[in-house]
């Protein structure tokens, strides 16, 4: 986990690049939320 | 001679003066002729029954009726007094015994009620059979046994707040967090690293999952604490303290021992017991109030949980969410502390109640000082337990570090 965080910290973006990434990250996070809720629904049934 | 006698009766102020021996003789006359007074009283009563009652019934004037009612009562009092006087104090003795018996019954009733109140202190919380009530019940019956409050009200409010305010708060916090990161990226040439950019979204995912499942999450600490209380209850055998009931026979002053006490002692004991009863009644009610209050507090925290959890996304507002979590944990922990206090209360109170019910420690002679002292100890124990229940919330906050 520490190595992963270190690798993520090593990748740097300028402000413009960051602005471009925000929508992608937002959609990605919505996808993760949807996936987790789907798994919970399939496992728990609620 | 007759003129002189008349003159002697007049004073300078014009009032009629009566020789003292004459007055004494007049006052003594009814005492010396009690049976005549009794007959007169009976005749007076009969006259009222025969002549005035029909008039009263026939009278349409309410003032006349009220006046006749008063006259009837006066006649009754005069008649009773005359008959009592005629009986040479026999009726007076009966009245004195009646009053004494009344006071003894009052003392018995007060003692029984005090014991009920003190045992109700824990009994209503724990239930007669060790069945938990109020906050000690299940999560869906924290405020009374009707589970519709939780199912139809708290859950619905919670669901509405998730979709309306909770998610909105979370989105606002996400924008705030992203704005902070992107502003920081523009201030330095190095820009922003991927981890910093990920963090608001990671918290967004976490916050979203927390909010959607906040109902289960809020219930979880309570269920864990309930497991603790159940384990403790099983370990110490609740029957020792909680399942005690008030003595079935609350006749402490009976026909056998009533002659040991004077009427004044019983009156003063009843006077003391009244205040002890009042105190125990107030404290027992207060204890139940606190238990219900905590249940309501848990429900309120559960209902508004989505709003508070929404603040977890941004760094600047995360303290609000963690503060809310700490306070909620403090409330749940206070539930466990109240459980411990009620265990202590039940042991302490039941001990004193049984001590009083034994009757062997009421004090020697006429004074009943032992009984009064024990009752005051009972009141002090009740008050201490009530105050401890009141402070349980503050104690729990000290444990989680927000006191």
């Amino acid at each position: 986990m520490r190595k992963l965080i270190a690798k993520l910290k090593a990748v740097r973006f300028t402000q413009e690049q960051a602005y471009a990434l925000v929508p992608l990250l937002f959609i990605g996070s919505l996808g993760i939320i949807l996936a987790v809720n789907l798994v919970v629904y399939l496992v728990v049934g609620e | 001679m007759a003129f002189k006698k008349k003159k002697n009766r007049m004073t300078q102020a014009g009032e009629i003066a009566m020789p003292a021996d004459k007055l004494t003789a007049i006052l003594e006359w009814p005492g010396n002729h009690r049976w005549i007074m009794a007959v007169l009283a009976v005749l007076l009563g009969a006259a009222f029954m025969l002549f005035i009652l029909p008039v009263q019934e026939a009278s349409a004037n309410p003032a006349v009726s009220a006046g006749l009612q008063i006259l009837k009562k006066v006649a009754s009092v005069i008649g009773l007094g005359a008959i009592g006087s005629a009986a040479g104090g026999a009726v007076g003795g009966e009245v004195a015994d009646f009053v004494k018996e009344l006071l003894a019954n009052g003392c018995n009733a007060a003692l029984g009620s005090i014991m009920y109140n003190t045992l109700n202190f824990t009994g209503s919380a724990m239930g007669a059979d060790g069945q938990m009530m109020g906050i000690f019940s299940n999560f869906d019956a924290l405020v009374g046994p009707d589970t519709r409050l939780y199912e139809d009200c708290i859950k619905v409010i919670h669901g509405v707040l998730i979709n309306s305010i909770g998610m909105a708060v979370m989105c606002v916090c996400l924008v705030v967090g992203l704005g902070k990161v992107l502003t920081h990226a523009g201030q330095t040439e190095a820009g922003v690293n991927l981890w910093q950019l990920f963090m608001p979204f990671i918290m967004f995912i976490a916050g979203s999952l927390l909010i959607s499942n906040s109902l289960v999450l809020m219930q979880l600490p309570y269920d864990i604490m309930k497991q603790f209380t159940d384990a403790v209850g099983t370990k110490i055998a609740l029957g020792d303290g909680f399942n005690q009931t008030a003595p079935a026979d609350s006749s402490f002053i009976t026909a056998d021992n009533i002659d040991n006490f004077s009427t004044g002692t019983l009156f003063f004991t009843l006077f003391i017991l009244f205040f002890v009863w009042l105190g125990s009644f107030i404290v027992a009610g207060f204890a139940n109030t606190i238990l219900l209050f905590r249940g309501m507090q848990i429900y309120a925290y559960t209902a508004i949980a989505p709003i508070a959890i929404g603040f977890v996304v941004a760094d600047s507002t995360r303290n609000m969410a963690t503060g809310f979590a700490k306070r909620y944990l403090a409330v749940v922990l206070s539930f466990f502390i109240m459980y411990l206090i009620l265990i202590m209360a039940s042991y302490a109170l039941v001990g004193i109640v049984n001590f009083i019910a034994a009757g062997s420690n009421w004090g020697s002679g006429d004074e009943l000082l032992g009984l009064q002292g024990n009752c005051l100890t009972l009141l002090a124990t009740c008050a201490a337990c009530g105050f401890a229940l009141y402070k349980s919330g503050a104690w729990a906050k000290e444990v989680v570090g927000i006191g």
Side-chain angles (χ1 to χ4, degrees), chain A residues 1 5 8-15 18-19 21-22 25-26 28-30 32-33 36-37 40, chain B residues 174 178 182-183 185-187 189-198 201 204-205 208-209 212-213:
Chain A
M1 189 68 185
I5 293 172
L8 290 173
K9 282 184 177 176
V11 181
R12 303 197 75 87
F13 299 102
T14 61
Q15 194 181 27
Y19 272 119
L21 273 173
V22 164
L25 289 172
F26 185 69
S29 59
L30 287 181
I32 292 171
I33 291 167
V36 171
N37 281 332
V40 170
Chain B
L174 174 67
L178 273 176
L182 294 173
T183 308
Q187 287 172 346
E189 289 184 1
V192 62
N193 63 46
L194 193 55
W195 176 249
Q196 284 175 316
L197 202 56
F198 269 173
F201 290 102
F204 177 69
I205 295 167
S208 173
L209 294 174
S212 333
N213 300 292

